[in-house]
Amino acid sequence: MSIEINQLTKVYGEQKAINNISFSVGTGEVVGFLGPNGAGKSTTMKILSGFIPATSGTAKVMGIDVAKDPLAVKKRIGYLPELNPLYDDMFIVEYLQFNADIYQLKNAKQEIERVINKTGLSVERHKKISQLSKGYRQRVGLAQALLNNPDVLILDEPTSGLDPNQMSEIRQLIANLSKEKTILLSTHIMQEVEAMCNRVIIINRGSIVADDTVSNVKQQISSGNKEVYIRFRDVVDAASLLQLQGVKKVESAAEGGFTISANQGADLAAILFKFAVESNTVIVEQKEIKESLEAVFQELTKNV
Ligand code: ADP
């Protein structure tokens, strides 16, 4: 396992930021760490990267316990913190050299060239960080995270604050990196996970509420929450639909149709077909409403 988190808890004063969470990430996986603001994503990543200690539990990277040997872990990971703190007055190469010194890299010049090429910084390489667009600043952050050629990348909201073009460029860059690295990437943007990750871990109020492949997480929720659009040939009363066993919610929809959601396990298609026959009408249109990861996310993180 590249990352192993076991019963990890972090309490800041009175605030429990993460509560007994456990998960692991296998070599080569690209995992989306998804959750609303304040869910505990950054806290988990900071502990994992050895920047803050946990209150209890363990975090391991490549089998090394972060609490026991934070330096060894820092050598094996690349970490792009949220808000990407850069030194504005430094030139790109100067900043990377500064970081290479911290890592005590032997072939610093060579490694700097490698990361500049890898992150598409060549055209802007002579600029000061303060002169760069947000997208390019993020490339510098990624270049810094790649300097020590790490096996594991921990990226905290890597596209936050970027415009749509910059976002898609950075996503592309991360998608390329995912061919050779294990990546844990936090975000509150659902499409980002769908675009880049094979697995998603959803965290809400410090607890993990889902951990599965993107498609399974979507299915897990939609199977319990099937929704269809249906339209009958004749006028049908919404109240009579609502009375059907297994039907949870009925809403009027376009062209005199309805959006109907069913309880878990209910065979909605069969129920509605039977209803149409018994009501002496026919179904003119019926389609399943596909749940987006966005809807799944809202369902899992809604505060009850
Ligand atoms: P996320 O990255 O998912 O937005 P965070 O890990 O930053 O969430 O925060 C989780 C919770 O911990 C939030 O309620 C936040 O206010 C709180 N928190 C984070 N950092 C600190 C801190 N240094 N001191 C006190 N509370 C904090």
Side-chain angles (χ1 to χ4, degrees), residues 2-3 45-51 59-79 103 148 150-152 154:
S2 290
I3 295 174
M45 292 181 142
K46 282 181 197 161
I47 295 171
L48 206 44
S49 322
F51 282 86
K60 289 184 183 172
V61 177
M62 312 297 288
I64 308 163
D65 188 327
V66 182
K68 293 196 178 128
D69 198 347
L71 215 60
V73 167
K74 281 178 189 167
K75 281 186 182 161
R76 307 294 294 274
I77 61 162
Y79 172 47
Y103 281 125
N148 56 337
D151 304 305
V152 179
I154 295 171

XYZ file of all heavy atoms in Angstrom, residues 2-3 45-51 59-79 103 148 150-152 154:
276
model
N 0.503 2.228 -0.794
C 1.261 3.483 -0.803
C 0.866 4.370 0.369
O 1.692 5.076 0.936
C 1.002 4.238 -2.107
O 1.607 3.547 -3.173
N -0.431 4.359 0.672
C -0.914 5.173 1.789
C -1.801 4.293 2.672
O -2.650 3.560 2.167
C -1.756 6.369 1.269
C -0.874 7.331 0.457
C -2.444 7.107 2.416
C -1.656 8.458 -0.221
N -4.610 15.506 4.909
C -3.437 15.605 4.032
C -2.223 16.184 4.754
O -1.092 15.788 4.498
C -3.787 16.430 2.813
C -4.789 15.684 1.935
S -5.212 16.606 0.474
C -5.314 15.289 -0.719
N -2.487 17.117 5.654
C -1.370 17.705 6.419
C -0.749 16.656 7.340
O 0.463 16.627 7.505
C -1.872 18.891 7.255
C -2.068 20.157 6.440
C -2.537 21.281 7.350
C -3.137 22.420 6.559
N -3.974 23.283 7.389
N -1.585 15.811 7.916
C -1.050 14.754 8.797
C -0.237 13.771 7.951
O 0.883 13.409 8.290
C -2.189 14.011 9.538
C -2.903 14.971 10.492
C -1.647 12.804 10.297
C -4.171 14.404 11.120
N -0.821 13.400 6.824
C -0.181 12.448 5.921
C 1.179 12.946 5.433
O 2.108 12.178 5.208
C -1.122 12.237 4.732
C -1.092 10.958 3.937
C -1.012 9.727 4.810
C -2.323 10.904 3.050
N 1.286 14.253 5.266
C 2.533 14.824 4.755
C 3.512 15.186 5.876
O 4.555 15.763 5.610
C 2.254 16.095 3.953
O 1.096 15.945 3.205
N 3.129 14.913 7.103
C 4.031 15.169 8.223
C 4.083 16.626 8.656
O 5.006 17.037 9.341
N 3.088 17.424 8.268
C 3.113 18.839 8.641
C 2.457 19.112 9.985
O 2.825 20.057 10.672
C 2.512 19.707 7.531
C 3.489 19.888 6.419
C 3.583 18.961 5.396
C 4.390 20.948 6.435
C 4.533 19.081 4.396
C 5.345 21.086 5.445
C 5.428 20.154 4.413
N -0.764 7.171 10.373
C -0.733 7.443 8.937
C 0.605 6.941 8.419
O 1.656 7.277 8.973
C -0.872 8.946 8.689
N 0.560 6.105 7.383
C 1.797 5.567 6.815
C 1.856 5.852 5.324
O 0.842 5.761 4.623
C 1.863 4.049 7.000
C 2.092 3.613 8.433
C 2.237 2.102 8.481
C 2.383 1.628 9.913
N 2.332 0.168 10.002
N 3.056 6.199 4.870
C 3.291 6.359 3.433
C 4.402 5.381 3.053
O 5.460 5.377 3.701
C 3.722 7.805 3.086
C 4.041 7.923 1.609
C 2.636 8.796 3.465
N 4.160 4.561 2.062
C 5.103 3.526 1.636
C 5.599 2.723 2.858
O 6.794 2.433 2.982
C 6.309 4.130 0.901
C 5.979 5.129 -0.181
S 5.042 4.464 -1.563
C 6.276 3.478 -2.387
N 4.687 2.441 3.760
C 5.012 1.635 4.935
C 5.702 2.397 6.055
O 5.976 1.830 7.107
N 5.997 3.682 5.850
C 6.702 4.449 6.896
C 5.688 5.244 7.711
O 4.865 5.979 7.156
C 7.716 5.444 6.272
C 8.642 4.723 5.281
C 8.524 6.153 7.362
C 9.377 5.655 4.337
N 5.755 5.102 9.024
C 4.849 5.831 9.910
C 5.263 7.304 9.963
O 6.391 7.625 10.340
C 4.929 5.190 11.304
C 3.875 5.771 12.251
O 3.546 6.976 12.121
O 3.391 5.014 13.109
N 4.340 8.181 9.567
C 4.662 9.608 9.462
C 5.093 10.186 10.819
O 5.998 11.016 10.897
C 3.441 10.407 8.950
C 3.781 11.864 8.789
C 2.946 9.844 7.636
N 4.441 9.720 11.891
C 4.758 10.263 13.215
C 6.165 9.835 13.649
O 6.863 10.579 14.329
C 3.720 9.788 14.221
N 6.570 8.645 13.220
C 7.879 8.128 13.654
C 9.018 8.688 12.815
O 10.106 8.926 13.318
C 7.887 6.602 13.593
C 6.943 6.001 14.628
C 7.217 4.520 14.848
C 6.284 3.984 15.926
N 5.568 2.802 15.497
N 8.789 8.853 11.506
C 9.887 9.322 10.651
C 9.367 10.297 9.587
O 9.329 9.975 8.393
C 10.571 8.107 9.998
C 11.952 8.457 9.478
O 12.275 9.671 9.397
O 12.712 7.529 9.142
N 8.977 11.515 10.019
C 8.394 12.463 9.066
C 9.353 12.837 7.929
O 8.922 13.054 6.801
C 8.068 13.695 9.933
C 8.740 13.486 11.228
C 9.000 12.026 11.389
N 10.640 12.855 8.226
C 11.611 13.233 7.193
C 11.656 12.194 6.070
O 11.675 12.536 4.889
C 12.990 13.382 7.851
C 13.860 14.476 7.273
C 13.186 15.831 7.408
C 15.229 14.468 7.938
N 11.633 10.922 6.474
C 11.672 9.844 5.473
C 10.424 9.918 4.599
O 10.483 9.705 3.384
C 11.758 8.495 6.160
N 9.293 10.256 5.224
C 8.051 10.368 4.454
C 8.145 11.544 3.500
O 7.795 11.434 2.315
C 6.825 10.495 5.391
C 5.586 10.925 4.625
C 6.581 9.169 6.100
N 8.642 12.672 3.981
C 8.736 13.862 3.120
C 9.612 13.604 1.897
O 9.410 14.198 0.845
C 9.255 15.050 3.927
C 8.147 15.673 4.781
C 8.638 16.818 5.624
C 7.549 17.240 6.592
N 7.972 18.122 7.639
N 10.584 12.713 2.057
C 11.442 12.388 0.912
C 10.705 11.563 -0.144
O 11.089 11.550 -1.303
C 12.666 11.602 1.391
C 13.724 12.507 1.995
C 14.971 11.714 2.333
C 15.985 12.627 2.982
N 16.999 11.871 3.733
N 9.659 10.849 0.301
C 8.979 9.947 -0.631
C 7.720 10.551 -1.258
O 7.145 9.958 -2.167
C 8.572 8.642 0.090
C 9.684 7.945 0.829
C 10.733 7.417 -0.128
N 10.232 6.367 -0.993
C 10.209 5.073 -0.666
N 10.652 4.683 0.511
N 9.767 4.163 -1.515
N 7.278 11.685 -0.717
C 6.030 12.246 -1.245
C 6.260 13.614 -1.888
O 7.240 14.308 -1.601
C 4.949 12.426 -0.150
C 5.449 13.386 0.941
C 4.506 11.118 0.437
C 4.327 13.929 1.790
N 5.319 13.979 -2.738
C 5.250 15.347 -3.222
C 3.943 15.904 -2.682
O 2.904 15.239 -2.757
N 3.999 17.100 -2.110
C 2.801 17.652 -1.468
C 2.537 19.039 -2.025
O 3.420 19.905 -2.010
C 3.046 17.693 0.044
C 2.000 18.394 0.881
C 0.633 18.141 0.703
C 2.380 19.280 1.889
C -0.313 18.769 1.498
C 1.439 19.913 2.693
C 0.089 19.655 2.490
O -0.841 20.274 3.268
N 15.629 19.739 -0.132
C 15.623 18.288 -0.324
C 17.041 17.712 -0.381
O 17.219 16.509 -0.445
C 14.924 17.926 -1.644
C 13.421 17.951 -1.591
C 12.690 18.726 -2.485
C 12.732 17.154 -0.685
C 11.305 18.737 -2.462
C 11.342 17.157 -0.659
C 10.636 17.945 -1.551
O 9.274 17.929 -1.527
N 11.584 15.908 -5.987
C 12.282 14.750 -5.414
C 11.837 13.439 -6.054
O 12.070 12.378 -5.507
C 12.065 14.703 -3.897
C 10.589 14.682 -3.532
O 9.761 15.109 -4.327
N 10.245 14.197 -2.355
N 8.880 11.890 -6.363
C 8.204 11.066 -5.360
C 7.336 9.975 -5.985
O 6.932 10.083 -7.137
C 7.308 12.085 -4.647
C 6.994 13.091 -5.706
C 8.214 13.182 -6.580
N 7.076 8.928 -5.179
C 6.166 7.863 -5.652
C 4.730 8.290 -5.438
O 3.832 7.850 -6.142
C 6.405 6.587 -4.844
C 7.849 6.154 -4.912
O 8.336 5.983 -6.035
O 8.488 6.012 -3.850
N 4.530 9.114 -4.414
C 3.169 9.466 -4.006
C 2.980 10.984 -4.072
O 3.804 11.736 -3.560
C 2.913 8.995 -2.548
C 1.509 9.374 -2.094
C 3.126 7.498 -2.425
N 0.426 14.122 -3.079
C -0.722 14.527 -2.276
C -1.074 15.950 -2.679
O -0.296 16.883 -2.443
C -0.391 14.419 -0.774
C -0.152 12.941 -0.457
C -1.507 14.984 0.091
C 0.376 12.668 0.907
